[in-house]
Every structure is written in structure tokens, then in C-alpha cells.
Amino acid sequence: MNIAVMGCGTVGGGVVEIIDNRMGENSGLRVTRILDKIFREGDNRFTSEISDITNDDTIDVVVESMGGIEPAHSFILAALNAGKHIVTSNKAVVSQYMKEFVDAANNNNVGLFLEATAGGGVPWIHNLMRVKRIDNITAFSGIINGTSNFIIDKMEREGSDFNETLKLAQEKGYAEANPSADIDGDDVKAKSMISASIAFNTLCSDEIPTSGIRNLTIEDIEAFKEMGMRVRMITRGKVEGNKYYVTVEPQVCADNTLEANTPGYFNTVSLTGETIGELKFFGAGAGALPTANAIVQDILDCKDGKRPVYDFSRTLEFDETIMDSSYLFRTKAERALPKGAIMIRPGYFEIAGKYPAEAHKIAEGLLVEDPTTFMASLQKTI
Amino acid sequence: MNIAVMGCGTVGGGVVEIIDNRMGENSGLRVTRILDKIFREGDNRFTSEISDITNDDTIDVVVESMGGIEPAHSFILAALNAGKHIVTSNKAVVSQYMKEFVDAANNNNVGLFLEATAGGGVPWIHNLMRVKRIDNITAFSGIINGTSNFIIDKMEREGSDFNETLKLAQEKGYAEANPSADIDGDDVKAKSMISASIAFNTLCSDEIPTSGIRNLTIEDIEAFKEMGMRVRMITRGKVEGNKYYVTVEPQVCADNTLEANTPGYFNTVSLTGETIGELKFFGAGAGALPTANAIVQDILDCKDGKRPVYDFSRTLEFDETIMDSSYLFRTKAERALPKGAIMIRPGYFEIAGKYPAEAHKIAEGLLVEDPTTFMASLQKTI
């Protein structure tokens, strides 16, 4: 099976490394083309022309690990329309063009493989689809971004402040120069859209309330600790009757949950199925080799003849009323808080029974008056 | 695909329930025969004759959920030799006859499916074999017995004593009338032998040091709590060079580990692969529907043409010296302790750098003088 890799950075480089050096000849996998702007000296597989891939009839599978929207979007479509299977780790482009990609894959009778778009090395998409062979998925949740978890965990363990820790994450290569996608929740939102679309058989809305950890302080972490809680960056998705909802925000969880005890850049992602109950998957949420491993797993499935089937035919309404929570706000804009807010400790307010979009709107209002305001949902303790 | 279920108790009954009532006609799965001593009234699929299954050419797959060694052992062989695929949840018989079953399956060109033998509803064997497509497995570990975890967690949460909690587990149907396999570690040992044989490509020795939680007291739990630790029933397997080792015993773990925070009858099982790093799988370790779900997953894989390949060709030495640990003993037989034992709190002694079989031998000696002695390995804190 001949493979082209588009984008030979951290993840794409890891794919080439695993196939070239670890899988060996007997695996039947060969990387024969690499598309990138920067060529590796002496490696004549490199090209900067997409046509060298789309016009090459010997290439069976195209790995897209470029990231970003364009040219990834048009390159993926070009490869699908040229009859190549696509394996991608690009959550941003897939969450935006999922329907278009699935249609193009179906029309060209090729596979679209998405394991590496969510959860890094955690075998999340694979197991989610596997559970669906028997069960309806009623909910999913968890930590699905390694960078934000690295930052929170580091702050918790070392008492270092947010900006200092973010800088360290950038130096270690966990966070991008522009860290917004990781710390403001957009990366989690994209992964949640993909997860929800697969879990609930409906093309997920992009109107997911999304907030991040930019305003998290070491004082917040200390306050939660005194409450027997820890904060984590959490996605939650749920279906009930003909309604579904997804929300992305920090959550203050009891310190005896698996989520609260997920360290470093690891992820813990959960699903609930009708007969299997709750399953949780823990593993590296970032890093070259774990994410590359997820891509190579997809390639091996493709080689075994597997073709993922995506079914978005279920008509569900995106309705926040199925998901009420308590929310916690740390703010100096006390007067802007709605009625019913209860001060649970100096400067920290709980508002019970709020729907997510409602709570996110309250936070927006508070942020106008106090730009340091931090909001998190509050896990109901069992 | 026509299925016979041998043993229609908790797990087998769950399989019939899922296939009859949840999967539906379109799944292509039909339970056409059920072997049990007790017949369900009005259900003419029931039989007490194995020949009704082995002689029936319309049956493709045989589920064995009888438990125990005989007649499970001879019935599985009879079914394999009759050209039927076997899906089993019976860890006791598989750990004892793994090689014989694999050979019979290979000779008859049928599949032997073992997902449900370890970890209940946790997709452990499937993901372990999947990771092996790319990585060597260097270690596995974790909680792989739901009953003992239920008892420990209940003691921790409610301060109830061991015997009282065991009785409750028996009433709830989590523990057998003879609870020894669950509380003395033999169930974990059997699951560990199966896991190690698959993970390390070698037929695992049955000389695994094995001890359980029978002597665990509420005072122990309180003592560990004050140390910032919790006890869990843990399997550990490791390979290093041409050596491997497996040990089964309670472990005192830091209270911020996923294992220490695994509640109720849930399991958390981990593996370490070369490129994927550490993966952990959490889910129901017991219960009718989760374990039945694991069996139905195997049946679906069988229907998709999958045939698990077991390779025990690696020559490894079972050598405890690759796995030194600290061990903790709570005993009144102070004088029988070896040199180097350090009292870490009244009545509790730590012996550092011990190999497992060595430590288990020390415990045996102490138990002669003080039959209430409790031993656990001590997790090195990070």
C-alpha cells in the first residue's frame, strides 16, 4: 500500500518515522511521496506539487497532517476525487467540512479516516464507532485537549501562573505560537463537533458554547483545592429524545474523578452506551508519535479493507435545555450577576440550574465589566 | 450468523437479551440454540445436549459462558473440532488451556475470541491486540477484577468492614457464594495469564505470585488514607530484554492515580506501547450487560471475517528480578520480619527493593505467626 503524506511537521514526520523505521517492509506500507514546503535533503520523495500525488496512480492513501483550513480543504477534496483514501489529523478542517468530505469519499468509493482528529493517541473515534455497533451513545464527555491539560496540571503541581506555564508549553512544543485554539477552547470545540456527529448520527451544530482557561489563575486553583475540587477543560455532549447538546468549558470536578486526576498532556475521554455503560479512554493527547500512531492505525484499517460509515441522518434539535448545570463565576463584577447567584467563597459565585448558552452569556456580560472573570461549570458531586 | 449459547446465566442471559431484543433482525445475528441445565419455559431453543450444537451444521458460532473448568473445557474443544468459532468469557478455562484451544482453533480454521475473558465490558483484549499491530507492549497493569474493587471502594466510602462488605457483594450478585477467586486473586491471575500471553507473545507461566484482599481491614484503609494512598487489587506485567514477569497483589497507590480513583465494580487497565505510550481503559468490570456486550462485539468481529491471531513464539524467561518493588506488611509477627524492614507507622512495615516472589514468601512466613497479616506492594510515588 503506497502512502503520500501531506504536511511533514510534528505529526506527519512521526508517521514517516513509524512507517519507515518501525513497521518495516513486511508491513506492506510504504511512504512514497511527501508534500511539504521544506524538503528533507537527500529524500527524493519530497514534492511541493499536489498534482504529484493526485496524478500518481500508484498512491492508495493520502495522509493529511498539514493543519489549518486551506489548502488542506482543497487538497483533501482533490485527493478524494482522485480516488485516494484520506487519513487526517486535521480537526479544524474536518469539523468545518465534514459533510462535504464524507460525500466526496462516498462518491469516490474511498475511505475517510478520522481517528487522529480527536484525542491524539487515545483510540477514541475507533472505540466510539465500535460501541455503536451495539449501543446507542447517550453521552460523551472528558478532556480532549492535551495542551490545556498540561497547563492546568503544571499550575496545580508547581503553583506557577498561567502565562509562565503557557510560555513553557510553547517552548516544549505543546502549544502553538498563537495558542488561542488550545486555551480558548476552539480546538476542543472542533473535536467535539466531530465526536458528536459520529456519536449521535447527526451533523453537529457549530453553535457550541465555548470558553477556555485564559483567565484561570493560581488563586482559582487554590480555591478549588480547598473545595476538594480541580478544574479541567471539558467537553460534554448529550442526547435525550430528539434533542442533543454539546458544550465546551472549564469544569470544576471532584478531586476523586478520573478527569481531575488526568495529568500532563494526557486526555481522558468518556462515552456512555446503553448496554456497555460508561467507558473511559486515557492516553497521550498530544505528541508526535502517539498522534502518528493513530494515523498508522487508520492506515492499517484501510489496508484491511475497512471503510468507516458516517450516518448523519438522525434529525435532532440542538437544545440546551437538556443540559442544565451549576456554573461558577470568579468575578469582581458582582453587580452584574443575575439574581440567584450565591457567593460560595469571597469572590466566587455559584448559579445553579443554568443552561450552557445562558451561562456563557452571563460570563460575556461579566467580562465587559471585569475582563479577568473566570467561568467554569460545576460538576454535581455524586 | 447462527449462534449457540452454552451457559445461560448472568453473562449468557445477557448475550441472549442483547441479540434477541436489541440487535434485531437486521443485525444478521440469531441465537438458535441455548445449552443449560435449566430451561426457559416456552423457549424451544434450550437443550442439555452438547451434540445438539456440535452436530448442527447451521450453527456458526458458539458462545461459552458456563464458567469453570469442566465441562467447559471439553465442550469448547468439541465445538472447535466441529468447526464452530468460539467466543468465551471463561478466564479460568482459557488461562489453563490457552495453547490447546488456540491449536484446535487453528487446526479447524476457526476463530477463538477472548475479549470477555478479561475486564468485563472494558475493550481490553481488542485494544491490546490493536496496539500490537504497531508497537511492542512493554508493560500492562491495573484493576481487572470488579468484585474486589467494589469491596475496597465500599469499605473506603462507608467505613464498613471486609466481611460485611463481602456479604453485600454476594447479595448484589457481584461475588460468588465461594468468593475465593475474586478476593484471593485467582481471577486476576487467570486474566493476567491471558493478558500477558497476548501482550508478550509468550505462553504465560502459571507461577504468578498471587495474593488478595481477604485480610484487608478498615484500619488498613484509614492508615493508607493518612499516607495519601489507597489500596487497589492490581495486576502488573512487564517485559525487559528476554525476561518477563507478572505479579498479582494488592497495591497501595497514590490517591491521585486513576487506579486509586476507580470506583465500584469498575476496572482500569493500562498498557504501555513503544510509540503510543501509556493507554488506560476504564469500564464496568462486571455485570450482565457489559460482559455480554464484550461477547457480542466478538461475534460481530467474527461475522466481519476477523480471526484473532495468537503468537506464543517468543522465548522469554519468567524472571522476577526485572520487577523490584517496595512491599508493605501489616503484621503482629514483627520478629519474623527480615532485616531491612522499616516501621513506617505502628504495626506497618516497609521492605524496599524486594522482588515479588520473595515478598510473597515473606508474607507466607508472617501469616503462620499472625494469620491476620496483610501485604501490599507500595507504588513508588512520582
Side-chain angles (χ1 to χ4, degrees):
Chain A
M1 184 165 244
N2 290 338
I3 299 151
V5 175
M6 305 196 296
C8 195
T10 306
V11 174
V15 172
V16 176
E17 148 82 14
I18 289 178
I19 295 177
D20 280 4
N21 301 329
R22 288 174 177 266
M23 302 290 292
E25 288 288 316
N26 294 338
S27 71
L29 305 185
R30 283 170 305 276
V31 176
T32 57
R33 269 291 180 198
I34 303 172
L35 177 91
D36 207 330
K37 276 177 272 184
I38 304 154
F39 287 23
R40 204 184 283 169
E41 222 181 288
D43 191 333
N44 58 19
R45 297 175 294 183
F46 275 81
T47 177
S48 55
E49 297 298 327
I50 176 73
S51 59
D52 282 344
I53 293 171
T54 49
N55 293 339
D56 184 341
D57 288 341
T58 68
I59 291 171
D60 308 292
V61 182
V62 176
V63 171
E64 186 273 308
S65 45
M66 314 168 71
I69 303 299
E70 287 295 351
H73 166 241
S74 44
F75 284 9
I76 287 174
L77 280 182
L80 290 170
N81 289 326
K84 319 292 188 198
H85 306 288
I86 279 283
V87 177
T88 176
S89 59
N90 186 339
K91 61 272 323 178
V93 78
V94 171
S95 64
Q96 197 163 326
Y97 294 105
M98 195 158 180
K99 175 88 168 60
E100 189 180 12
F101 291 159
V102 169
D103 288 344
N106 290 343
N107 291 338
N108 291 286
N109 214 9
V110 292
L112 173 68
F113 294 85
L114 304 177
E115 180 63 59
T117 61
V122 181
W124 166 238
I125 301 286
H126 169 74
N127 281 287
L128 181 62
M129 295 185 85
R130 188 171 162 85
V131 167
K132 280 181 62 196
R133 304 195 303 182
I134 300 173
D135 279 355
N136 290 316
I137 306 286
T138 55
F140 68 87
S141 65
I143 301 164
I144 203 161
N145 176 277
T147 306
S148 56
N149 206 69
F150 172 86
I151 293 172
I152 296 170
D153 182 62
K154 199 88 180 167
M155 289 173 74
E156 277 175 358
R157 282 174 201 263
E158 303 186 2
S160 49
D161 86 359
F162 180 82
N163 288 316
E164 185 185 319
T165 315
L166 172 60
K167 220 178 122 190
L168 178 74
Q170 286 170 322
E171 282 164 14
K172 289 209 169 201
Y174 300 147
E176 306 288 324
N178 177 354
S180 174
D182 286 322
I183 66 173
D184 294 326
D186 294 321
D187 176 83
V188 179
K189 178 184 166 181
K191 292 166 177 170
S192 304
M193 284 173 68
I194 298 168
S195 301
S197 299
I198 294 173
F200 303 149
N201 286 359
T202 199
L203 208 62
C204 182
S205 165
D206 66 355
E207 289 170 22
I208 296 173
T210 302
S211 73
I213 58 166
R214 194 183 278 270
N215 280 356
L216 179 67
T217 65
I218 187 67
E219 290 75 23
D220 294 331
I221 283 172
E222 289 300 324
F224 305 149
K225 197 176 174 182
E226 285 171 22
M227 294 159 63
M229 314 285 273
R230 284 185 209 137
V231 68
R232 285 295 182 269
M233 186 66 201
I234 295 282
T235 177
R236 292 185 285 152
K238 185 180 167 186
V239 69
E240 206 176 278
N242 64 344
K243 296 172 177 177
Y244 79 110
Y245 205 68
V246 183
T247 182
V248 169
E249 64 227 351
Q251 183 172 62
V252 176
C253 333
D255 65 6
N256 65 352
T257 56
L258 265 58
E259 291 72 21
N261 291 288
T262 299
Y265 61 69
F266 284 89
N267 287 180
T268 297
V269 205
S270 310
L271 62 82
T272 307
E274 289 168 312
T275 66
I276 197 66
E278 196 165 36
L279 292 181
K280 291 175 186 265
F281 302 91
F282 167 100
L289 290 180
T291 310
N293 184 297
I295 287 179
V296 178
Q297 290 287 6
D298 270 351
I299 296 172
L300 289 168
D301 280 345
C302 181
K303 184 166 168 282
D304 285 351
K306 190 178 151 188
R307 302 290 173 262
V309 176
Y310 305 98
D311 169 12
F312 305 135
S313 65
R314 196 160 166 206
T315 313
L316 293 174
E317 205 186 327
F318 191 67
D319 184 336
E320 66 169 345
T321 61
I322 63 169
M323 207 183 255
D324 70 330
S325 297
S326 281
Y327 278 84
L328 179 148
F329 300 84
R330 187 256 306 135
T331 189
K332 290 175 200 140
E334 234 174 289
R335 283 169 315 170
L337 281 164
K339 268 188 194 168
I342 295 166
M343 188 162 84
I344 51 170
R345 45 187 297 141
Y348 292 84
F349 304 87
E350 181 182 345
I351 309 183
K354 279 292 167 215
Y355 303 129
E358 220 181 330
H360 284 247
K361 195 158 281 177
I362 293 169
E364 278 164 35
L366 297 169
L367 279 161
V368 174
E369 296 206 25
D370 172 12
T372 71
T373 297
F374 178 73
M375 180 193 74
S377 67
L378 197 56
Q379 192 200 42
K380 283 161 191 157
T381 47
I382 311 144
Chain B
M1 185 164 241
N2 290 338
I3 300 151
V5 174
M6 304 195 297
C8 196
T10 307
V11 173
V15 172
V16 176
E17 147 82 15
I18 289 178
I19 295 177
D20 280 3
N21 302 330
R22 288 173 177 266
M23 302 291 291
E25 288 288 317
N26 294 337
S27 71
L29 305 185
R30 283 170 305 276
V31 176
T32 57
R33 269 290 178 200
I34 303 172
L35 177 91
D36 208 330
K37 276 176 270 181
I38 304 155
F39 287 23
R40 204 184 284 168
E41 220 181 289
D43 191 334
N44 58 17
R45 295 176 295 183
F46 275 80
T47 176
S48 55
E49 297 298 327
I50 177 73
S51 58
D52 281 344
I53 292 171
T54 49
N55 293 339
D56 184 342
D57 287 343
T58 68
I59 291 171
D60 307 292
V61 182
V62 176
V63 171
E64 186 272 308
S65 45
M66 314 169 71
I69 302 300
E70 287 295 352
H73 166 241
S74 44
F75 283 9
I76 288 174
L77 280 182
L80 289 170
N81 289 328
K84 318 292 187 198
H85 306 288
I86 280 283
V87 177
T88 176
S89 59
N90 186 339
K91 60 274 320 178
V93 78
V94 171
S95 65
Q96 195 163 327
Y97 294 105
M98 196 159 179
K99 176 87 169 61
E100 189 179 14
F101 290 159
V102 169
D103 288 346
N106 291 343
N107 291 339
N108 291 288
N109 215 8
V110 292
L112 174 69
F113 294 84
L114 304 177
E115 180 62 59
T117 61
V122 181
W124 165 241
I125 302 285
H126 170 75
N127 281 287
L128 180 63
M129 295 186 85
R130 188 170 162 84
V131 167
K132 280 181 63 196
R133 305 195 302 181
I134 301 173
D135 280 355
N136 290 317
I137 306 287
T138 56
F140 69 88
S141 65
I143 301 164
I144 204 162
N145 176 277
T147 306
S148 56
N149 207 69
F150 171 86
I151 292 172
I152 296 169
D153 182 61
K154 199 88 180 167
M155 289 174 74
E156 277 175 358
R157 283 175 201 261
E158 303 186 2
S160 48
D161 85 0
F162 179 83
N163 287 317
E164 184 186 321
T165 315
L166 171 60
K167 219 178 123 190
L168 179 73
Q170 286 169 322
E171 281 163 14
K172 288 208 170 204
Y174 299 148
E176 306 288 323
N178 177 355
S180 174
D182 285 322
I183 65 174
D184 294 327
D186 294 321
D187 176 83
V188 179
K189 177 184 167 184
K191 292 166 176 170
S192 304
M193 284 173 67
I194 298 168
S195 300
S197 299
I198 294 173
F200 303 149
N201 286 359
T202 200
L203 208 62
C204 182
S205 166
D206 66 355
E207 289 171 20
I208 296 172
T210 301
S211 72
I213 59 166
R214 192 182 279 270
N215 280 357
L216 179 67
T217 65
I218 188 66
E219 291 75 23
D220 295 332
I221 284 172
E222 288 300 324
F224 304 149
K225 197 176 177 185
E226 285 172 23
M227 295 158 64
M229 315 286 272
R230 286 187 207 134
V231 69
R232 286 295 182 269
M233 186 67 201
I234 295 283
T235 176
R236 293 184 286 152
K238 186 180 167 186
V239 68
E240 206 175 277
N242 63 346
K243 295 171 177 177
Y244 79 110
Y245 204 68
V246 183
T247 182
V248 168
E249 64 226 351
Q251 183 172 62
V252 177
C253 331
D255 64 8
N256 65 350
T257 56
L258 267 57
E259 290 73 20
N261 290 288
T262 298
Y265 61 68
F266 285 89
N267 287 180
T268 296
V269 205
S270 310
L271 63 83
T272 306
E274 289 169 311
T275 68
I276 198 66
E278 195 166 35
L279 292 182
K280 292 176 187 265
F281 303 91
F282 168 100
L289 289 180
T291 309
N293 184 297
I295 286 178
V296 179
Q297 290 288 5
D298 270 351
I299 296 172
L300 289 169
D301 280 346
C302 182
K303 184 165 168 282
D304 286 351
K306 191 178 149 189
R307 301 291 173 263
V309 176
Y310 305 98
D311 169 12
F312 305 136
S313 65
R314 197 160 164 206
T315 312
L316 293 174
E317 203 187 327
F318 192 67
D319 184 336
E320 66 169 343
T321 63
I322 62 168
M323 206 183 255
D324 70 330
S325 297
S326 281
Y327 279 84
L328 180 147
F329 300 84
R330 187 256 304 136
T331 187
K332 290 177 200 139
E334 234 173 289
R335 283 169 316 172
L337 280 164
K339 268 187 194 169
I342 295 166
M343 188 162 86
I344 52 170
R345 46 186 299 141
Y348 292 84
F349 304 88
E350 181 182 344
I351 309 182
K354 279 294 165 213
Y355 303 128
E358 221 181 329
H360 284 247
K361 193 158 282 176
I362 292 168
E364 278 164 36
L366 295 169
L367 278 161
V368 174
E369 296 206 23
D370 172 11
T372 72
T373 296
F374 178 73
M375 180 194 73
S377 67
L378 196 56
Q379 191 199 42
K380 284 160 191 156
T381 47
I382 310 146

